[in-house]
Amino acid sequence: MAKGTRATAALDKAGIAHGLHGYDYSAEVDSKGLAAAQALGIDPARMFKTLMAWVDKQPLIAVIPSDRRLSLKKLAARCGGKHAQLMEVSEAEKRSGYKVGGISPFAQQRPASIVFADDVQQHGTVYINAGQRGLLLDLAPADALRFLQAQLADICED
């Protein structure tokens, strides 16, 4: 396991407190976020996954709890668009600079607007991918939102 990534280096440079947690990553599971939560013994609602999307041809990063599903319709409406779709794996990896299963919203190669599911405010700390498969960071939601200049919205399916 690496001691850090571009994401953790950016947080360190900004002076944002965070922890690092390694786990055995498996590409074979259906929900990598739920598998990570189980491996670490944490509530899946505190494990947030990073999804790369397009809203009318504009790139967007959506960060939602691992036990929820993204509503593309809500995402498009929240961003003032008409259509939203998830990026293809190759495009998500190219834009973020991370491999799928390890995409972090922090320190992406090609930054984009970020929207967090408003559920994030319910927790004292949340777990988010640290930019490497099998490596998560935990931090206060307010710190993540401020650092990323992210918006909050109801973007999950009901």
Side-chain angles (χ1 to χ4, degrees):
M1 176 176 75
K3 294 193 185 296
T5 63
R6 278 195 332 269
T8 59
L11 292 171
D12 288 341
K13 184 176 180 181
I16 295 176
H18 62 279
L20 278 179
H21 308 274
Y23 69 97
D24 289 330
Y25 173 84
S26 172
E28 306 304 315
V29 298
D30 289 334
S31 174
K32 291 162 185 57
L34 291 176
Q38 183 177 12
L40 293 175
I42 64 167
D43 180 354
R46 290 180 59 208
M47 175 70 62
F48 279 67
K49 58 187 173 184
T50 305
L51 302 172
M52 304 291 292
W54 294 106
V55 175
D56 294 345
K57 300 189 182 187
Q58 291 299 314
L60 187 100
I61 301 163
V63 186
I64 66 170
S66 64
D67 62 349
R68 307 274 317 268
R69 292 182 55 93
L70 178 65
S71 168
L72 293 171
K73 187 174 188 173
K74 286 182 180 181
L75 184 65
R78 172 61 177 90
C79 296
K82 294 181 182 184
H83 179 263
Q85 68 183 47
L86 291 176
M87 282 185 193
E88 295 291 329
V89 168
S90 61
E91 184 67 20
E93 290 180 343
K94 180 179 170 185
R95 290 195 64 83
S96 69
Y98 299 118
K99 294 286 185 189
V100 166
I103 293 179
S104 177
F106 302 100
Q108 289 204 358
Q109 294 280 22
R110 297 169 77 184
S113 295
I114 301 173
V115 179
F116 267 75
D118 51 12
D119 307 54
V120 75
Q121 295 182 19
Q122 299 172 7
H123 309 287
T125 59
V126 293
Y127 292 76
I128 302 173
N129 203 292
Q132 176 182 306
R133 293 172 177 167
L135 187 64
L136 299 168
L137 55 87
D138 73 278
L139 75 167
D143 289 340
L145 293 167
R146 185 177 57 254
F147 179 80
L148 294 167
Q149 299 178 346
Q151 302 296 313
L152 282 172
D154 173 13
I155 55 172
C156 294
E157 291 181 356
D158 296 323

Short mmCIF file of all heavy atoms in Angstrom, two decimals, residues 32-78:
data_model
loop_
_atom_site.label_atom_id
_atom_site.label_comp_id
_atom_site.label_asym_id
_atom_site.label_seq_id
_atom_site.Cartn_x
_atom_site.Cartn_y
_atom_site.Cartn_z
N LYS A 32 -18.06 -1.80 -5.32
CA LYS A 32 -16.76 -1.63 -4.68
C LYS A 32 -16.86 -0.80 -3.40
O LYS A 32 -16.17 -1.04 -2.43
CB LYS A 32 -15.77 -1.04 -5.66
CG LYS A 32 -15.44 -2.05 -6.75
CD LYS A 32 -14.82 -1.40 -7.97
CE LYS A 32 -14.61 -2.37 -9.09
NZ LYS A 32 -15.79 -3.07 -9.57
N GLY A 33 -17.76 0.19 -3.39
CA GLY A 33 -17.95 1.01 -2.20
C GLY A 33 -18.50 0.21 -1.03
O GLY A 33 -18.04 0.35 0.11
N LEU A 34 -19.49 -0.63 -1.31
CA LEU A 34 -20.06 -1.46 -0.24
C LEU A 34 -19.04 -2.48 0.25
O LEU A 34 -18.95 -2.74 1.46
CB LEU A 34 -21.33 -2.17 -0.72
CG LEU A 34 -22.54 -1.26 -0.99
CD1 LEU A 34 -23.70 -2.07 -1.56
CD2 LEU A 34 -22.95 -0.52 0.26
N ALA A 35 -18.24 -3.02 -0.66
CA ALA A 35 -17.20 -3.97 -0.27
C ALA A 35 -16.15 -3.29 0.60
O ALA A 35 -15.68 -3.86 1.59
CB ALA A 35 -16.55 -4.60 -1.50
N ALA A 36 -15.78 -2.06 0.26
CA ALA A 36 -14.80 -1.32 1.06
C ALA A 36 -15.35 -1.03 2.45
O ALA A 36 -14.65 -1.17 3.45
CB ALA A 36 -14.42 -0.02 0.35
N ALA A 37 -16.61 -0.63 2.52
CA ALA A 37 -17.24 -0.35 3.82
C ALA A 37 -17.25 -1.61 4.68
O ALA A 37 -16.92 -1.56 5.88
CB ALA A 37 -18.67 0.17 3.62
N GLN A 38 -17.59 -2.73 4.08
CA GLN A 38 -17.60 -3.99 4.82
C GLN A 38 -16.19 -4.36 5.28
O GLN A 38 -15.99 -4.78 6.41
CB GLN A 38 -18.19 -5.11 3.96
CG GLN A 38 -18.30 -6.42 4.70
CD GLN A 38 -18.97 -7.50 3.86
OE1 GLN A 38 -19.14 -7.35 2.65
NE2 GLN A 38 -19.34 -8.58 4.51
N ALA A 39 -15.21 -4.19 4.41
CA ALA A 39 -13.83 -4.54 4.76
C ALA A 39 -13.32 -3.72 5.94
O ALA A 39 -12.56 -4.21 6.76
CB ALA A 39 -12.92 -4.34 3.55
N LEU A 40 -13.76 -2.45 6.02
CA LEU A 40 -13.32 -1.58 7.10
C LEU A 40 -14.26 -1.59 8.29
O LEU A 40 -13.98 -0.96 9.31
CB LEU A 40 -13.14 -0.15 6.59
CG LEU A 40 -12.02 0.05 5.58
CD1 LEU A 40 -12.00 1.47 5.06
CD2 LEU A 40 -10.67 -0.31 6.19
N GLY A 41 -15.41 -2.26 8.14
CA GLY A 41 -16.36 -2.35 9.24
C GLY A 41 -17.04 -1.02 9.54
O GLY A 41 -17.31 -0.70 10.70
N ILE A 42 -17.32 -0.26 8.49
CA ILE A 42 -18.01 1.03 8.70
C ILE A 42 -19.38 1.02 8.02
O ILE A 42 -19.64 0.23 7.11
CB ILE A 42 -17.17 2.22 8.19
CG1 ILE A 42 -16.97 2.13 6.68
CG2 ILE A 42 -15.85 2.32 8.92
CD1 ILE A 42 -16.45 3.40 6.07
N ASP A 43 -20.23 1.93 8.45
CA ASP A 43 -21.56 2.09 7.88
C ASP A 43 -21.42 2.50 6.41
O ASP A 43 -20.74 3.50 6.11
CB ASP A 43 -22.31 3.16 8.67
CG ASP A 43 -23.71 3.43 8.18
OD1 ASP A 43 -24.13 2.88 7.14
OD2 ASP A 43 -24.40 4.22 8.85
N PRO A 44 -22.07 1.78 5.47
CA PRO A 44 -21.96 2.14 4.05
C PRO A 44 -22.43 3.57 3.74
O PRO A 44 -22.00 4.16 2.75
CB PRO A 44 -22.86 1.12 3.35
CG PRO A 44 -22.94 -0.02 4.29
CD PRO A 44 -22.83 0.55 5.67
N ALA A 45 -23.26 4.14 4.58
CA ALA A 45 -23.73 5.51 4.37
C ALA A 45 -22.61 6.53 4.58
O ALA A 45 -22.70 7.66 4.12
CB ALA A 45 -24.90 5.82 5.31
N ARG A 46 -21.52 6.12 5.26
CA ARG A 46 -20.37 7.00 5.48
C ARG A 46 -19.29 6.81 4.42
O ARG A 46 -18.32 7.56 4.39
CB ARG A 46 -19.76 6.75 6.87
CG ARG A 46 -20.64 7.22 7.99
CD ARG A 46 -20.02 6.97 9.33
NE ARG A 46 -18.73 7.65 9.45
CZ ARG A 46 -17.74 7.21 10.23
NH1 ARG A 46 -17.88 6.11 10.96
NH2 ARG A 46 -16.61 7.88 10.31
N MET A 47 -19.44 5.80 3.57
CA MET A 47 -18.49 5.50 2.51
C MET A 47 -19.00 6.17 1.23
O MET A 47 -20.06 5.80 0.71
CB MET A 47 -18.39 3.99 2.30
CG MET A 47 -17.52 3.59 1.13
SD MET A 47 -15.80 3.88 1.41
CE MET A 47 -15.52 2.83 2.82
N PHE A 48 -18.28 7.16 0.73
CA PHE A 48 -18.73 7.90 -0.44
C PHE A 48 -17.95 7.48 -1.67
O PHE A 48 -16.75 7.27 -1.62
CB PHE A 48 -18.60 9.41 -0.19
CG PHE A 48 -19.75 9.95 0.60
CD1 PHE A 48 -19.94 9.59 1.92
CD2 PHE A 48 -20.68 10.78 0.01
CE1 PHE A 48 -21.02 10.06 2.64
CE2 PHE A 48 -21.77 11.26 0.72
CZ PHE A 48 -21.94 10.89 2.04
N LYS A 49 -18.68 7.32 -2.78
CA LYS A 49 -18.05 6.94 -4.04
C LYS A 49 -18.02 8.13 -4.98
O LYS A 49 -18.89 9.01 -4.94
CB LYS A 49 -18.77 5.75 -4.67
CG LYS A 49 -20.24 5.96 -4.96
CD LYS A 49 -20.91 4.66 -5.42
CE LYS A 49 -22.41 4.81 -5.55
NZ LYS A 49 -23.04 3.53 -5.89
N THR A 50 -17.01 8.16 -5.83
CA THR A 50 -16.80 9.25 -6.78
C THR A 50 -17.20 8.77 -8.16
O THR A 50 -16.66 7.79 -8.66
CB THR A 50 -15.32 9.68 -6.77
OG1 THR A 50 -14.93 10.00 -5.44
CG2 THR A 50 -15.10 10.87 -7.68
N LEU A 51 -18.16 9.46 -8.76
CA LEU A 51 -18.64 9.11 -10.09
C LEU A 51 -18.35 10.26 -11.05
O LEU A 51 -18.54 11.43 -10.71
CB LEU A 51 -20.15 8.84 -10.05
CG LEU A 51 -20.57 7.72 -9.08
CD1 LEU A 51 -22.09 7.66 -8.98
CD2 LEU A 51 -20.02 6.39 -9.54
N MET A 52 -17.90 9.92 -12.22
CA MET A 52 -17.59 10.91 -13.25
C MET A 52 -18.74 10.93 -14.26
O MET A 52 -19.15 9.87 -14.74
CB MET A 52 -16.29 10.53 -13.95
CG MET A 52 -15.09 10.36 -13.02
SD MET A 52 -14.51 11.87 -12.30
CE MET A 52 -13.86 12.69 -13.76
N ALA A 53 -19.23 12.13 -14.55
CA ALA A 53 -20.39 12.24 -15.43
C ALA A 53 -20.23 13.40 -16.39
O ALA A 53 -19.34 14.25 -16.25
CB ALA A 53 -21.65 12.44 -14.57
N TRP A 54 -21.11 13.40 -17.36
CA TRP A 54 -21.26 14.53 -18.29
C TRP A 54 -22.65 15.10 -18.05
O TRP A 54 -23.63 14.36 -17.97
CB TRP A 54 -21.19 14.07 -19.74
CG TRP A 54 -19.88 13.53 -20.18
CD1 TRP A 54 -19.56 12.23 -20.42
CD2 TRP A 54 -18.70 14.28 -20.47
NE1 TRP A 54 -18.26 12.10 -20.81
CE2 TRP A 54 -17.70 13.37 -20.85
CE3 TRP A 54 -18.38 15.64 -20.42
CZ2 TRP A 54 -16.42 13.77 -21.20
CZ3 TRP A 54 -17.10 16.03 -20.77
CH2 TRP A 54 -16.14 15.11 -21.16
N VAL A 55 -22.74 16.42 -17.95
CA VAL A 55 -24.03 17.10 -17.95
C VAL A 55 -24.00 18.02 -19.16
O VAL A 55 -23.25 19.01 -19.16
CB VAL A 55 -24.29 17.87 -16.64
CG1 VAL A 55 -25.59 18.65 -16.74
CG2 VAL A 55 -24.32 16.91 -15.46
N ASP A 56 -24.76 17.67 -20.16
CA ASP A 56 -24.74 18.39 -21.43
C ASP A 56 -23.31 18.61 -21.91
O ASP A 56 -22.88 19.50 -22.14
CB ASP A 56 -25.43 19.77 -21.30
CG ASP A 56 -26.91 19.67 -21.04
OD1 ASP A 56 -27.49 18.59 -21.22
OD2 ASP A 56 -27.48 20.69 -20.63
N LYS A 57 -22.48 17.73 -22.03
CA LYS A 57 -21.10 17.85 -22.53
C LYS A 57 -20.13 18.56 -21.58
O LYS A 57 -18.99 18.78 -21.93
CB LYS A 57 -21.06 18.53 -23.90
CG LYS A 57 -21.84 17.79 -24.96
CD LYS A 57 -21.62 18.35 -26.33
CE LYS A 57 -22.49 17.57 -27.30
NZ LYS A 57 -22.29 17.87 -28.66
N GLN A 58 -20.59 18.91 -20.37
CA GLN A 58 -19.69 19.50 -19.36
C GLN A 58 -19.32 18.40 -18.37
O GLN A 58 -20.20 17.70 -17.86
CB GLN A 58 -20.37 20.65 -18.62
CG GLN A 58 -20.61 21.87 -19.48
CD GLN A 58 -19.32 22.46 -20.01
OE1 GLN A 58 -18.34 22.63 -19.31
NE2 GLN A 58 -19.32 22.76 -21.30
N PRO A 59 -18.04 18.22 -18.06
CA PRO A 59 -17.65 17.19 -17.10
C PRO A 59 -18.08 17.58 -15.68
O PRO A 59 -18.10 18.76 -15.34
CB PRO A 59 -16.13 17.16 -17.22
CG PRO A 59 -15.76 18.54 -17.67
CD PRO A 59 -16.90 18.99 -18.54
N LEU A 60 -18.44 16.57 -14.91
CA LEU A 60 -18.88 16.81 -13.54
C LEU A 60 -18.47 15.63 -12.68
O LEU A 60 -18.44 14.49 -13.15
CB LEU A 60 -20.39 16.98 -13.50
CG LEU A 60 -20.89 17.40 -12.14
CD1 LEU A 60 -21.17 18.89 -12.12
CD2 LEU A 60 -22.08 16.62 -11.74
N ILE A 61 -18.16 15.91 -11.44
CA ILE A 61 -17.83 14.87 -10.48
C ILE A 61 -18.95 14.82 -9.45
O ILE A 61 -19.28 15.84 -8.83
CB ILE A 61 -16.48 15.18 -9.79
CG1 ILE A 61 -15.37 15.30 -10.84
CG2 ILE A 61 -16.16 14.13 -8.73
CD1 ILE A 61 -14.11 15.99 -10.33
N ALA A 62 -19.55 13.66 -9.28
CA ALA A 62 -20.61 13.47 -8.29
C ALA A 62 -20.08 12.54 -7.20
O ALA A 62 -19.49 11.50 -7.50
CB ALA A 62 -21.85 12.85 -8.95
N VAL A 63 -20.28 12.93 -5.95
CA VAL A 63 -19.80 12.14 -4.82
C VAL A 63 -21.01 11.79 -3.96
O VAL A 63 -21.67 12.68 -3.42
CB VAL A 63 -18.74 12.92 -4.01
CG1 VAL A 63 -18.15 12.03 -2.92
CG2 VAL A 63 -17.63 13.45 -4.92
N ILE A 64 -21.31 10.48 -3.89
CA ILE A 64 -22.52 10.03 -3.21
C ILE A 64 -22.22 8.85 -2.29
O ILE A 64 -21.22 8.17 -2.46
CB ILE A 64 -23.61 9.63 -4.24
CG1 ILE A 64 -23.20 8.40 -5.04
CG2 ILE A 64 -23.93 10.80 -5.16
CD1 ILE A 64 -24.31 7.81 -5.90
N PRO A 65 -23.11 8.59 -1.33
CA PRO A 65 -22.91 7.44 -0.45
C PRO A 65 -22.90 6.13 -1.25
O PRO A 65 -23.63 5.99 -2.23
CB PRO A 65 -24.12 7.47 0.49
CG PRO A 65 -24.63 8.87 0.42
CD PRO A 65 -24.31 9.35 -0.96
N SER A 66 -22.08 5.18 -0.79
CA SER A 66 -21.94 3.92 -1.52
C SER A 66 -23.20 3.07 -1.51
O SER A 66 -23.36 2.20 -2.35
CB SER A 66 -20.77 3.11 -0.97
OG SER A 66 -21.02 2.73 0.36
N ASP A 67 -24.11 3.35 -0.58
CA ASP A 67 -25.34 2.57 -0.52
C ASP A 67 -26.50 3.25 -1.25
O ASP A 67 -27.64 2.83 -1.12
CB ASP A 67 -25.73 2.27 0.94
CG ASP A 67 -26.01 3.51 1.76
OD1 ASP A 67 -25.71 4.63 1.30
OD2 ASP A 67 -26.51 3.36 2.89
N ARG A 68 -26.19 4.27 -2.04
CA ARG A 68 -27.22 4.98 -2.80
C ARG A 68 -26.87 4.94 -4.29
O ARG A 68 -25.76 4.63 -4.67
CB ARG A 68 -27.32 6.46 -2.36
CG ARG A 68 -27.49 6.72 -0.87
CD ARG A 68 -28.92 6.71 -0.34
NE ARG A 68 -29.93 7.36 -1.10
CZ ARG A 68 -30.32 8.63 -0.94
NH1 ARG A 68 -29.73 9.41 -0.06
NH2 ARG A 68 -31.32 9.12 -1.68
N ARG A 69 -27.86 5.30 -5.11
CA ARG A 69 -27.65 5.36 -6.56
C ARG A 69 -27.80 6.81 -7.02
O ARG A 69 -28.66 7.54 -6.53
CB ARG A 69 -28.66 4.48 -7.29
CG ARG A 69 -28.43 3.00 -7.04
CD ARG A 69 -29.42 2.14 -7.83
NE ARG A 69 -29.40 2.42 -9.24
CZ ARG A 69 -28.66 1.78 -10.15
NH1 ARG A 69 -27.88 0.80 -9.75
NH2 ARG A 69 -28.71 2.08 -11.42
N LEU A 70 -26.98 7.20 -7.96
CA LEU A 70 -27.04 8.54 -8.53
C LEU A 70 -28.26 8.67 -9.42
O LEU A 70 -28.55 7.80 -10.23
CB LEU A 70 -25.77 8.80 -9.36
CG LEU A 70 -25.67 10.14 -10.07
CD1 LEU A 70 -25.59 11.28 -9.06
CD2 LEU A 70 -24.45 10.15 -10.99
N SER A 71 -28.99 9.78 -9.27
CA SER A 71 -30.09 10.10 -10.17
C SER A 71 -29.55 11.04 -11.24
O SER A 71 -29.25 12.21 -10.96
CB SER A 71 -31.24 10.78 -9.40
OG SER A 71 -32.17 11.32 -10.33
N LEU A 72 -29.41 10.54 -12.44
CA LEU A 72 -28.90 11.38 -13.53
C LEU A 72 -29.87 12.53 -13.84
O LEU A 72 -29.43 13.63 -14.18
CB LEU A 72 -28.64 10.53 -14.77
CG LEU A 72 -27.50 9.52 -14.62
CD1 LEU A 72 -27.45 8.57 -15.81
CD2 LEU A 72 -26.16 10.23 -14.44
N LYS A 73 -31.14 12.28 -13.66
CA LYS A 73 -32.14 13.31 -13.90
C LYS A 73 -31.98 14.46 -12.89
O LYS A 73 -31.98 15.63 -13.26
CB LYS A 73 -33.54 12.69 -13.79
CG LYS A 73 -34.65 13.61 -14.18
CD LYS A 73 -35.97 12.87 -14.17
CE LYS A 73 -37.07 13.74 -14.74
NZ LYS A 73 -38.32 13.01 -14.90
N LYS A 74 -31.82 14.11 -11.61
CA LYS A 74 -31.62 15.14 -10.59
C LYS A 74 -30.30 15.87 -10.80
O LYS A 74 -30.21 17.08 -10.61
CB LYS A 74 -31.64 14.52 -9.19
CG LYS A 74 -33.01 14.12 -8.70
CD LYS A 74 -32.90 13.56 -7.28
CE LYS A 74 -34.23 13.14 -6.73
NZ LYS A 74 -34.08 12.62 -5.34
N LEU A 75 -29.26 15.13 -11.20
CA LEU A 75 -27.96 15.73 -11.43
C LEU A 75 -28.04 16.76 -12.55
O LEU A 75 -27.55 17.89 -12.41
CB LEU A 75 -26.92 14.66 -11.77
CG LEU A 75 -25.49 15.14 -11.96
CD1 LEU A 75 -24.93 15.70 -10.65
CD2 LEU A 75 -24.62 14.02 -12.48
N ALA A 76 -28.67 16.40 -13.65
CA ALA A 76 -28.82 17.34 -14.77
C ALA A 76 -29.60 18.57 -14.34
O ALA A 76 -29.18 19.71 -14.62
CB ALA A 76 -29.50 16.65 -15.95
N ALA A 77 -30.71 18.37 -13.65
CA ALA A 77 -31.54 19.49 -13.22
C ALA A 77 -30.76 20.39 -12.26
O ALA A 77 -30.81 21.62 -12.36
CB ALA A 77 -32.81 18.98 -12.55
N ARG A 78 -30.02 19.80 -11.33
CA ARG A 78 -29.26 20.58 -10.34
C ARG A 78 -28.19 21.43 -11.01
O ARG A 78 -27.85 22.51 -10.56
CB ARG A 78 -28.62 19.63 -9.32
CG ARG A 78 -27.66 20.27 -8.36
CD ARG A 78 -28.38 21.33 -7.53
NE ARG A 78 -27.53 21.94 -6.54
CZ ARG A 78 -26.78 23.02 -6.74
NH1 ARG A 78 -26.74 23.60 -7.91
NH2 ARG A 78 -26.06 23.52 -5.76
#
